Amino acid sequence: MLLHNDIMPLVAESTHRDGPLHKEGLDTGKRIIAKKGRDYLVFRMEDIAYFYVDNGVSYLIGRTSNYKYITDKPLRNIEMMINSPSFFRVSKKYLIHINAVVKFRPTKKGKLELLLNPDPRETIIISQLKAPLFKKWLLQN
């Protein structure tokens, strides 16, 4: 069982700004370190699928592991800490990485339904106000 105190995200600056990731313009320079038991797990920004909140607890979902890691910060603080064009706050509950987006479709009243990978197993709806910003974000990043 994973306890809240077992996971502790930190953001650290990378000292290698001239590597291949920097040339591609990806989110180099920031990592999130999560602790699980006695082990520390390092997540590069591009290895995070999304963050979400459930019952007041924030979780990080890895792109490949599909395992959820508890974070000790509210989603708003995580969003400000990351401050990356590769992440978009689609709702109060979800902060997603661009590489997690599989597809979206229009729904009622100009809203969008979003499908992510890994699948969050719930419907994610982007509001009518955020839908144009979301489309613009997808095209510009």
Side-chain angles (χ1 to χ4, degrees), residues 60-105:
L60 175 157
I61 304 295
R63 283 185 48 210
T64 57
S65 69
N66 199 16
Y67 186 82
K68 65 182 182 181
Y69 302 90
I70 298 173
T71 64
D72 66 347
K73 298 193 181 319
L75 204 52
R76 174 179 289 169
N77 292 5
I78 294 169
E79 182 179 15
M80 288 187 297
M81 184 174 62
I82 291 174
N83 191 25
S84 167
S86 295
F87 283 89
F88 186 83
R89 184 77 178 260
V90 294
S91 68
K92 290 180 182 179
K93 195 170 179 178
Y94 282 89
L95 173 64
I96 65 167
H97 191 278
I98 195 164
N99 292 336
V101 177
V102 175
K103 66 181 177 180
F104 62 92
R105 72 183 85 170

Short mmCIF file of all heavy atoms in Angstrom, two decimals, residues 60-105:
data_model
loop_
_atom_site.label_atom_id
_atom_site.label_comp_id
_atom_site.label_asym_id
_atom_site.label_seq_id
_atom_site.Cartn_x
_atom_site.Cartn_y
_atom_site.Cartn_z
N LEU A 60 0.35 11.75 -9.58
CA LEU A 60 1.13 11.81 -10.80
C LEU A 60 0.98 10.46 -11.49
O LEU A 60 1.11 9.43 -10.84
CB LEU A 60 2.60 12.06 -10.45
CG LEU A 60 3.66 12.05 -11.54
CD1 LEU A 60 4.87 12.86 -11.07
CD2 LEU A 60 4.10 10.69 -11.95
N ILE A 61 0.70 10.47 -12.79
CA ILE A 61 0.61 9.24 -13.57
C ILE A 61 1.74 9.24 -14.58
O ILE A 61 1.86 10.16 -15.39
CB ILE A 61 -0.74 9.14 -14.32
CG1 ILE A 61 -1.91 9.25 -13.36
CG2 ILE A 61 -0.81 7.85 -15.14
CD1 ILE A 61 -2.03 8.13 -12.36
N GLY A 62 2.57 8.20 -14.52
CA GLY A 62 3.66 8.07 -15.48
C GLY A 62 3.15 7.61 -16.83
O GLY A 62 2.15 6.91 -16.91
N ARG A 63 3.86 7.99 -17.90
CA ARG A 63 3.43 7.62 -19.24
C ARG A 63 3.55 6.13 -19.50
O ARG A 63 2.74 5.56 -20.22
CB ARG A 63 4.25 8.37 -20.29
CG ARG A 63 3.81 9.79 -20.43
CD ARG A 63 4.51 10.53 -21.53
NE ARG A 63 4.52 9.77 -22.76
CZ ARG A 63 5.48 9.86 -23.67
NH1 ARG A 63 6.49 10.66 -23.48
NH2 ARG A 63 5.42 9.16 -24.77
N THR A 64 4.55 5.48 -18.95
CA THR A 64 4.76 4.07 -19.25
C THR A 64 4.35 3.13 -18.13
O THR A 64 3.94 2.01 -18.38
CB THR A 64 6.25 3.80 -19.59
OG1 THR A 64 7.05 4.24 -18.50
CG2 THR A 64 6.66 4.54 -20.84
N SER A 65 4.43 3.58 -16.89
CA SER A 65 4.16 2.66 -15.78
C SER A 65 2.68 2.52 -15.48
O SER A 65 2.26 1.51 -14.94
CB SER A 65 4.87 3.15 -14.52
OG SER A 65 4.28 4.34 -14.05
N ASN A 66 1.88 3.53 -15.81
CA ASN A 66 0.46 3.55 -15.50
C ASN A 66 0.21 3.37 -13.99
O ASN A 66 -0.82 2.87 -13.58
CB ASN A 66 -0.30 2.51 -16.31
CG ASN A 66 -1.79 2.81 -16.36
OD1 ASN A 66 -2.23 3.91 -16.04
ND2 ASN A 66 -2.57 1.84 -16.76
N TYR A 67 1.18 3.72 -13.19
CA TYR A 67 1.07 3.65 -11.74
C TYR A 67 0.86 5.05 -11.21
O TYR A 67 1.44 5.99 -11.73
CB TYR A 67 2.36 3.05 -11.16
CG TYR A 67 2.28 2.80 -9.67
CD1 TYR A 67 1.68 1.66 -9.18
CD2 TYR A 67 2.80 3.72 -8.78
CE1 TYR A 67 1.60 1.43 -7.81
CE2 TYR A 67 2.73 3.50 -7.42
CZ TYR A 67 2.13 2.36 -6.95
OH TYR A 67 2.04 2.15 -5.59
N LYS A 68 0.03 5.22 -10.20
CA LYS A 68 -0.17 6.55 -9.66
C LYS A 68 0.68 6.76 -8.43
O LYS A 68 0.77 5.90 -7.56
CB LYS A 68 -1.65 6.83 -9.39
CG LYS A 68 -2.30 6.00 -8.33
CD LYS A 68 -3.77 6.38 -8.23
CE LYS A 68 -4.44 5.59 -7.15
NZ LYS A 68 -5.86 5.92 -7.05
N TYR A 69 1.32 7.92 -8.40
CA TYR A 69 2.19 8.31 -7.31
C TYR A 69 1.57 9.50 -6.61
O TYR A 69 1.20 10.48 -7.25
CB TYR A 69 3.58 8.70 -7.83
CG TYR A 69 4.25 7.60 -8.59
CD1 TYR A 69 4.07 7.48 -9.96
CD2 TYR A 69 5.04 6.66 -7.95
CE1 TYR A 69 4.67 6.46 -10.67
CE2 TYR A 69 5.65 5.64 -8.65
CZ TYR A 69 5.46 5.54 -10.02
OH TYR A 69 6.04 4.53 -10.71
N ILE A 70 1.45 9.44 -5.31
CA ILE A 70 0.86 10.52 -4.54
C ILE A 70 1.85 11.67 -4.45
O ILE A 70 3.03 11.47 -4.19
CB ILE A 70 0.46 10.06 -3.14
CG1 ILE A 70 -0.59 8.96 -3.22
CG2 ILE A 70 -0.04 11.23 -2.30
CD1 ILE A 70 -0.92 8.32 -1.89
N THR A 71 1.37 12.86 -4.68
CA THR A 71 2.20 14.05 -4.51
C THR A 71 1.71 14.80 -3.29
O THR A 71 0.57 14.67 -2.88
CB THR A 71 2.14 14.97 -5.75
OG1 THR A 71 0.82 15.45 -5.90
CG2 THR A 71 2.57 14.23 -7.00
N ASP A 72 2.58 15.60 -2.72
CA ASP A 72 2.21 16.30 -1.49
C ASP A 72 1.81 17.74 -1.73
O ASP A 72 1.71 18.51 -0.79
CB ASP A 72 3.33 16.21 -0.46
CG ASP A 72 4.58 16.97 -0.89
OD1 ASP A 72 4.67 17.34 -2.07
OD2 ASP A 72 5.46 17.17 -0.04
N LYS A 73 1.56 18.10 -2.98
CA LYS A 73 1.19 19.47 -3.31
C LYS A 73 -0.14 19.51 -4.03
O LYS A 73 -0.48 18.61 -4.79
CB LYS A 73 2.25 20.09 -4.21
CG LYS A 73 3.62 20.17 -3.56
CD LYS A 73 4.53 21.07 -4.35
CE LYS A 73 5.90 21.17 -3.76
NZ LYS A 73 6.02 21.27 -2.35
N PRO A 74 -0.91 20.57 -3.84
CA PRO A 74 -2.15 20.74 -4.61
C PRO A 74 -1.82 20.93 -6.09
O PRO A 74 -0.73 21.37 -6.45
CB PRO A 74 -2.78 22.01 -4.03
CG PRO A 74 -2.04 22.31 -2.78
CD PRO A 74 -0.72 21.63 -2.87
N LEU A 75 -2.78 20.63 -6.94
CA LEU A 75 -2.58 20.71 -8.38
C LEU A 75 -2.19 22.12 -8.82
O LEU A 75 -1.36 22.30 -9.71
CB LEU A 75 -3.85 20.26 -9.10
CG LEU A 75 -3.69 19.75 -10.52
CD1 LEU A 75 -2.64 18.67 -10.62
CD2 LEU A 75 -5.01 19.24 -11.04
N ARG A 76 -2.73 23.13 -8.19
CA ARG A 76 -2.38 24.51 -8.53
C ARG A 76 -0.89 24.78 -8.30
O ARG A 76 -0.22 25.39 -9.12
CB ARG A 76 -3.21 25.49 -7.70
CG ARG A 76 -2.80 26.94 -7.90
CD ARG A 76 -3.64 27.88 -7.11
NE ARG A 76 -4.94 27.90 -7.73
CZ ARG A 76 -6.02 28.45 -7.21
NH1 ARG A 76 -5.95 29.02 -6.03
NH2 ARG A 76 -7.16 28.44 -7.84
N ASN A 77 -0.36 24.29 -7.19
CA ASN A 77 1.07 24.47 -6.91
C ASN A 77 1.93 23.69 -7.89
O ASN A 77 2.99 24.16 -8.30
CB ASN A 77 1.38 24.04 -5.48
CG ASN A 77 0.77 24.96 -4.45
OD1 ASN A 77 0.02 25.88 -4.79
ND2 ASN A 77 1.07 24.71 -3.21
N ILE A 78 1.50 22.50 -8.25
CA ILE A 78 2.23 21.70 -9.23
C ILE A 78 2.26 22.43 -10.57
O ILE A 78 3.31 22.52 -11.22
CB ILE A 78 1.60 20.30 -9.39
CG1 ILE A 78 1.77 19.51 -8.09
CG2 ILE A 78 2.23 19.56 -10.57
CD1 ILE A 78 0.96 18.23 -8.05
N GLU A 79 1.13 22.98 -10.96
CA GLU A 79 1.04 23.72 -12.23
C GLU A 79 2.01 24.91 -12.23
O GLU A 79 2.72 25.13 -13.21
CB GLU A 79 -0.39 24.20 -12.43
CG GLU A 79 -0.62 24.94 -13.72
CD GLU A 79 -2.06 25.38 -13.89
OE1 GLU A 79 -2.83 25.37 -12.90
OE2 GLU A 79 -2.42 25.76 -15.01
N MET A 80 2.06 25.66 -11.15
CA MET A 80 2.97 26.81 -11.08
C MET A 80 4.43 26.37 -11.02
O MET A 80 5.29 27.00 -11.61
CB MET A 80 2.62 27.68 -9.86
CG MET A 80 1.33 28.44 -10.03
SD MET A 80 0.99 29.63 -8.72
CE MET A 80 0.83 28.57 -7.29
N MET A 81 4.69 25.27 -10.33
CA MET A 81 6.04 24.76 -10.20
C MET A 81 6.58 24.28 -11.55
O MET A 81 7.73 24.55 -11.89
CB MET A 81 6.02 23.59 -9.20
CG MET A 81 7.34 22.99 -8.88
SD MET A 81 7.20 21.75 -7.56
CE MET A 81 6.13 20.53 -8.27
N ILE A 82 5.75 23.62 -12.32
CA ILE A 82 6.18 23.09 -13.63
C ILE A 82 6.34 24.22 -14.63
O ILE A 82 7.34 24.30 -15.33
CB ILE A 82 5.18 22.03 -14.14
CG1 ILE A 82 5.27 20.79 -13.26
CG2 ILE A 82 5.46 21.69 -15.58
CD1 ILE A 82 4.24 19.76 -13.58
N ASN A 83 5.32 25.07 -14.76
CA ASN A 83 5.37 26.22 -15.67
C ASN A 83 5.95 25.84 -17.03
O ASN A 83 6.93 26.40 -17.47
CB ASN A 83 6.16 27.36 -15.03
CG ASN A 83 6.02 28.64 -15.81
OD1 ASN A 83 5.02 28.83 -16.51
ND2 ASN A 83 6.99 29.52 -15.70
N SER A 84 5.34 24.88 -17.69
CA SER A 84 5.84 24.35 -18.95
C SER A 84 4.77 24.44 -20.03
O SER A 84 3.61 24.16 -19.77
CB SER A 84 6.24 22.89 -18.76
OG SER A 84 6.44 22.28 -19.99
N PRO A 85 5.17 24.78 -21.27
CA PRO A 85 4.19 24.80 -22.36
C PRO A 85 3.71 23.41 -22.76
O PRO A 85 2.74 23.28 -23.47
CB PRO A 85 4.94 25.46 -23.51
CG PRO A 85 6.38 25.27 -23.20
CD PRO A 85 6.49 25.22 -21.71
N SER A 86 4.37 22.36 -22.29
CA SER A 86 3.96 20.99 -22.61
C SER A 86 2.83 20.49 -21.73
O SER A 86 2.28 19.43 -21.96
CB SER A 86 5.15 20.04 -22.50
OG SER A 86 6.11 20.35 -23.46
N PHE A 87 2.47 21.26 -20.69
CA PHE A 87 1.38 20.89 -19.80
C PHE A 87 0.24 21.89 -19.96
O PHE A 87 0.47 23.08 -20.17
CB PHE A 87 1.84 20.86 -18.34
CG PHE A 87 2.62 19.64 -17.99
CD1 PHE A 87 4.00 19.61 -18.16
CD2 PHE A 87 2.00 18.50 -17.50
CE1 PHE A 87 4.73 18.49 -17.85
CE2 PHE A 87 2.72 17.37 -17.18
CZ PHE A 87 4.09 17.36 -17.36
N PHE A 88 -0.99 21.38 -19.84
CA PHE A 88 -2.18 22.22 -19.98
C PHE A 88 -3.18 21.79 -18.92
O PHE A 88 -3.46 20.60 -18.74
CB PHE A 88 -2.79 22.04 -21.38
CG PHE A 88 -3.93 22.96 -21.67
CD1 PHE A 88 -3.68 24.25 -22.12
CD2 PHE A 88 -5.24 22.54 -21.51
CE1 PHE A 88 -4.74 25.11 -22.41
CE2 PHE A 88 -6.30 23.40 -21.80
CZ PHE A 88 -6.05 24.68 -22.24
N ARG A 89 -3.76 22.76 -18.24
CA ARG A 89 -4.77 22.50 -17.22
C ARG A 89 -6.11 22.41 -17.94
O ARG A 89 -6.72 23.42 -18.29
CB ARG A 89 -4.76 23.63 -16.19
CG ARG A 89 -5.70 23.44 -15.03
CD ARG A 89 -5.12 22.44 -14.03
NE ARG A 89 -5.97 22.27 -12.88
CZ ARG A 89 -5.77 22.87 -11.72
NH1 ARG A 89 -4.76 23.69 -11.55
NH2 ARG A 89 -6.59 22.64 -10.73
N VAL A 90 -6.59 21.19 -18.19
CA VAL A 90 -7.82 21.00 -18.94
C VAL A 90 -9.07 21.17 -18.08
O VAL A 90 -10.14 21.43 -18.59
CB VAL A 90 -7.87 19.64 -19.66
CG1 VAL A 90 -6.81 19.56 -20.73
CG2 VAL A 90 -7.75 18.48 -18.71
N SER A 91 -8.91 20.99 -16.76
CA SER A 91 -10.04 21.13 -15.84
C SER A 91 -9.50 21.36 -14.44
O SER A 91 -8.29 21.36 -14.23
CB SER A 91 -10.91 19.87 -15.87
OG SER A 91 -10.22 18.78 -15.32
N LYS A 92 -10.40 21.52 -13.49
CA LYS A 92 -9.97 21.67 -12.10
C LYS A 92 -9.24 20.42 -11.63
O LYS A 92 -8.41 20.47 -10.74
CB LYS A 92 -11.17 21.91 -11.18
CG LYS A 92 -11.81 23.25 -11.36
CD LYS A 92 -12.98 23.39 -10.41
CE LYS A 92 -13.67 24.71 -10.59
NZ LYS A 92 -14.81 24.88 -9.70
N LYS A 93 -9.54 19.32 -12.25
CA LYS A 93 -9.06 18.03 -11.79
C LYS A 93 -7.82 17.52 -12.52
O LYS A 93 -7.07 16.72 -11.98
CB LYS A 93 -10.20 17.02 -11.95
CG LYS A 93 -9.99 15.75 -11.22
CD LYS A 93 -11.25 14.92 -11.25
CE LYS A 93 -11.00 13.62 -10.52
NZ LYS A 93 -12.16 12.78 -10.46
N TYR A 94 -7.56 17.98 -13.76
CA TYR A 94 -6.49 17.41 -14.59
C TYR A 94 -5.52 18.45 -15.13
O TYR A 94 -5.94 19.47 -15.68
CB TYR A 94 -7.08 16.65 -15.78
CG TYR A 94 -7.62 15.30 -15.42
CD1 TYR A 94 -8.94 15.15 -15.00
CD2 TYR A 94 -6.81 14.18 -15.46
CE1 TYR A 94 -9.43 13.91 -14.66
CE2 TYR A 94 -7.30 12.93 -15.11
CZ TYR A 94 -8.61 12.80 -14.72
OH TYR A 94 -9.09 11.58 -14.37
N LEU A 95 -4.24 18.13 -15.02
CA LEU A 95 -3.13 18.87 -15.63
C LEU A 95 -2.42 17.84 -16.49
O LEU A 95 -1.84 16.88 -15.97
CB LEU A 95 -2.20 19.44 -14.56
CG LEU A 95 -0.91 20.10 -15.02
CD1 LEU A 95 -1.20 21.34 -15.85
CD2 LEU A 95 -0.04 20.45 -13.82
N ILE A 96 -2.47 17.99 -17.82
CA ILE A 96 -2.01 16.93 -18.71
C ILE A 96 -0.78 17.34 -19.51
O ILE A 96 -0.56 18.51 -19.80
CB ILE A 96 -3.13 16.51 -19.69
CG1 ILE A 96 -3.49 17.64 -20.64
CG2 ILE A 96 -4.35 16.02 -18.93
CD1 ILE A 96 -4.34 17.22 -21.82
N HIS A 97 0.01 16.35 -19.88
CA HIS A 97 1.15 16.54 -20.77
C HIS A 97 0.66 16.32 -22.20
O HIS A 97 -0.20 15.47 -22.45
CB HIS A 97 2.26 15.55 -20.43
CG HIS A 97 3.55 15.85 -21.12
ND1 HIS A 97 3.80 15.48 -22.41
CD2 HIS A 97 4.64 16.53 -20.71
CE1 HIS A 97 5.01 15.89 -22.76
NE2 HIS A 97 5.54 16.53 -21.74
N ILE A 98 1.20 17.06 -23.12
CA ILE A 98 0.75 17.01 -24.51
C ILE A 98 0.89 15.61 -25.11
O ILE A 98 0.07 15.20 -25.93
CB ILE A 98 1.48 18.07 -25.36
CG1 ILE A 98 0.77 18.27 -26.69
CG2 ILE A 98 2.95 17.74 -25.52
CD1 ILE A 98 1.16 19.53 -27.41
N ASN A 99 1.90 14.85 -24.69
CA ASN A 99 2.11 13.51 -25.23
C ASN A 99 1.11 12.48 -24.72
O ASN A 99 1.06 11.37 -25.22
CB ASN A 99 3.54 13.03 -24.96
CG ASN A 99 4.55 13.82 -25.75
OD1 ASN A 99 4.25 14.40 -26.78
ND2 ASN A 99 5.77 13.86 -25.25
N ALA A 100 0.31 12.84 -23.72
CA ALA A 100 -0.71 11.93 -23.19
C ALA A 100 -2.01 12.01 -23.99
O ALA A 100 -2.86 11.14 -23.88
CB ALA A 100 -0.99 12.23 -21.73
N VAL A 101 -2.14 13.04 -24.83
CA VAL A 101 -3.38 13.24 -25.59
C VAL A 101 -3.44 12.24 -26.74
O VAL A 101 -2.54 12.19 -27.58
CB VAL A 101 -3.47 14.68 -26.14
CG1 VAL A 101 -4.73 14.85 -26.99
CG2 VAL A 101 -3.45 15.69 -25.00
N VAL A 102 -4.51 11.44 -26.77
CA VAL A 102 -4.72 10.48 -27.85
C VAL A 102 -5.67 11.07 -28.87
O VAL A 102 -5.38 11.10 -30.06
CB VAL A 102 -5.29 9.15 -27.31
CG1 VAL A 102 -5.62 8.20 -28.43
CG2 VAL A 102 -4.31 8.53 -26.34
N LYS A 103 -6.82 11.56 -28.40
CA LYS A 103 -7.80 12.18 -29.29
C LYS A 103 -8.81 12.96 -28.46
O LYS A 103 -8.87 12.84 -27.24
CB LYS A 103 -8.51 11.13 -30.15
CG LYS A 103 -9.38 10.16 -29.39
CD LYS A 103 -10.02 9.17 -30.34
CE LYS A 103 -10.83 8.14 -29.56
NZ LYS A 103 -11.46 7.16 -30.46
N PHE A 104 -9.60 13.75 -29.17
CA PHE A 104 -10.70 14.47 -28.53
C PHE A 104 -11.84 14.56 -29.52
O PHE A 104 -11.65 14.40 -30.72
CB PHE A 104 -10.28 15.86 -28.04
CG PHE A 104 -9.82 16.80 -29.11
CD1 PHE A 104 -10.71 17.66 -29.74
CD2 PHE A 104 -8.49 16.83 -29.52
CE1 PHE A 104 -10.30 18.53 -30.72
CE2 PHE A 104 -8.07 17.70 -30.49
CZ PHE A 104 -8.97 18.54 -31.10
N ARG A 105 -13.03 14.79 -28.99
CA ARG A 105 -14.21 14.92 -29.85
C ARG A 105 -15.15 15.98 -29.28
O ARG A 105 -15.21 16.15 -28.06
CB ARG A 105 -14.91 13.59 -30.02
CG ARG A 105 -15.65 13.13 -28.77
CD ARG A 105 -16.27 11.79 -28.96
NE ARG A 105 -15.21 10.85 -28.66
CZ ARG A 105 -15.36 9.55 -28.52
NH1 ARG A 105 -16.52 9.03 -28.67
NH2 ARG A 105 -14.37 8.78 -28.21
#
